[in-house]
Amino acid sequence: MQTNDHLKPTDSELEILNILWEKGPCTVREVHEVLEKSKEAGYTTTLKLMQIMHDKNLLKRDATNKSHIYTANISQEKTQGQLVKRMIENVFNGSASQLVMQALGQHKSNNDELQEIKRYLEEIEKRSSTNK
Amino acid sequence: MQTNDHLKPTDSELEILNILWEKGPCTVREVHEVLEKSKEAGYTTTLKLMQIMHDKNLLKRDATNKSHIYTANISQEKTQGQLVKRMIENVFNGSASQLVMQALGQHKSNNDELQEIKRYLEEIEKRSSTNK
DNA sequence: TTCGTCTTACGAAATTATTCGTAGACAATT
DNA sequence: AATTGTCTACGAATAATTTCGTAAGACGAA
């Protein structure tokens, strides 16, 4: 039994995962058509990538029909969490707040987003003060 | 003239950059000794890596003495910013607030850190309301 | 001087990621 | 039946990253 808890999807793999997370189960062709919009790529390249991802257990597939149907086998949330964690460790020396501030400075968030973050912060504070 | 604005340091390169950012100018040996604490590595491996980073303009060096002295040639802040930006785009589909919340959930921040983030948020709000 | 140690430079192996060409299977169309 | 198109599988070229062995020069100690 293999978990992929430690796995780090490459950039290309991430592009494919993003498509599958958004659209749900897809054939190679469907994924490929989305990819083509944003970059040059041959069909067999996409196919091969998805086969490799299947070997790595990043995707699962239904092969009953001729056109196999692929699904992401790792959750978006969990993957995002792992990547963020890795970045906190490797790039921000363990300081999540440093990352947070870089992120806020990097990308202009609109007011709704800022409010959401504030709510979230307050929730954390509440939790941590009761957990004393 | 070449900028390295688009460059993405690899994980190994980041380890070296972190050391140089923290300690300032170092010889290969000094860097290597820090690296050895956290992982297995031969001296020439570290040397080669730093030479390559010098070729890529990630490091600059003073070669007047026999033991060359290397310095990071990209700033920590700027590098962190680029990596965060890339992550927002590739992993969080452009939503900085999603990343922020993942980061806060990922790593338990202490109260001081939370306060700092709150201050920062308020500053952003202030700025955006005057810039209407 | 001669030996051991430290340094850089260089080349190359090993590994991983990315790309694509080609072949074979299968089904629909002519 | 022959052609065309779509699919998978496979192998291989290319490129980037990481690793390390070895050579050559400098330097100091025995």
Side-chain angles (χ1 to χ4, degrees):
Chain A
M1 177 61 183
Q2 148 169 18
T3 60
N4 16 34
D5 284 0
H6 48 91
L7 242 50
K8 181 197 177 193
T10 66
D11 286 350
S12 306
E13 288 172 345
L14 219 39
E15 288 179 320
I16 289 171
L17 284 169
N18 276 324
I19 293 167
L20 290 171
W21 283 328
E22 187 183 341
K23 301 193 38 165
C26 284
T27 62
V28 173
R29 178 140 314 267
E30 288 170 314
V31 169
H32 180 63
E33 262 154 23
V34 178
L35 273 185
E36 266 187 323
K37 286 190 233 158
S38 54
K39 73 172 199 181
E40 195 83 0
Y43 174 81
T44 51
T45 303
T46 306
L47 171 66
K48 181 72 165 187
L49 262 175
M50 291 177 71
Q51 286 171 339
I52 290 172
M53 291 171 75
H54 179 249
D55 291 346
K56 291 188 190 173
N57 259 308
L58 293 175
L59 306 183
K60 59 190 168 196
R61 74 177 170 191
D62 173 353
T64 52
N65 294 311
K66 187 185 160 190
S67 292
H68 302 174
I69 296 183
Y70 289 81
T71 319
N73 196 30
I74 54 178
S75 82
Q76 183 171 29
E77 280 249 320
K78 221 173 179 179
T79 306
Q80 289 175 336
Q82 284 169 222
L83 292 173
V84 165
K85 192 173 167 191
R86 177 189 295 267
M87 178 166 271
I88 291 171
E89 283 162 13
N90 298 345
V91 182
F92 292 90
N93 300 302
S95 164
S97 56
Q98 282 294 316
L99 184 156
V100 167
M101 290 190 291
Q102 273 285 353
L104 291 174
Q106 202 53 231
H107 183 93
K108 301 295 159 259
S109 306
N110 61 35
N111 220 282
D112 287 354
E113 288 183 302
L114 293 180
Q115 295 311 316
E116 196 182 358
I117 295 169
K118 269 176 95 170
R119 267 200 307 280
Y120 192 67
L121 267 177
E122 273 151 26
E123 199 183 318
I124 290 177
E125 282 185 327
K126 217 179 298 169
R127 230 187 302 151
S128 76
S129 65
T130 52
N131 278 9
K132 263 286 158 59
Chain B
M1 177 62 184
Q2 150 170 15
T3 62
N4 16 35
D5 284 358
H6 48 91
L7 241 49
K8 182 197 175 192
T10 66
D11 286 350
S12 306
E13 290 172 344
L14 218 39
E15 287 179 320
I16 289 173
L17 284 169
N18 276 324
I19 294 167
L20 289 172
W21 283 327
E22 187 184 341
K23 301 194 39 168
C26 284
T27 62
V28 173
R29 177 138 316 266
E30 289 170 314
V31 169
H32 181 61
E33 261 155 24
V34 177
L35 272 184
E36 267 188 323
K37 287 191 231 154
S38 53
K39 73 172 201 183
E40 194 84 0
Y43 174 81
T44 50
T45 303
T46 305
L47 171 67
K48 182 71 167 190
L49 263 175
M50 290 176 71
Q51 286 171 340
I52 290 171
M53 290 170 75
H54 179 249
D55 291 346
K56 291 188 189 173
N57 259 306
L58 292 175
L59 306 184
K60 58 191 168 195
R61 73 177 172 193
D62 173 354
T64 51
N65 294 311
K66 185 184 160 192
S67 293
H68 302 173
I69 296 183
Y70 289 81
T71 320
N73 196 31
I74 54 177
S75 83
Q76 183 171 30
E77 280 249 320
K78 221 172 178 180
T79 306
Q80 289 174 336
Q82 284 169 221
L83 292 173
V84 165
K85 191 172 166 192
R86 179 189 293 269
M87 178 167 270
I88 291 172
E89 283 163 12
N90 297 345
V91 183
F92 291 91
N93 299 302
S95 165
S97 56
Q98 282 293 316
L99 184 155
V100 166
M101 292 189 291
Q102 274 284 356
L104 292 174
Q106 203 54 230
H107 184 92
K108 301 294 159 258
S109 306
N110 63 34
N111 220 282
D112 286 353
E113 290 182 301
L114 294 180
Q115 294 311 315
E116 195 181 359
I117 295 169
K118 269 176 96 169
R119 266 199 308 281
Y120 192 67
L121 267 176
E122 274 150 26
E123 197 183 319
I124 290 176
E125 282 184 326
K126 217 178 299 169
R127 230 186 302 151
S128 75
S129 65
T130 52
N131 279 7
K132 264 287 159 57

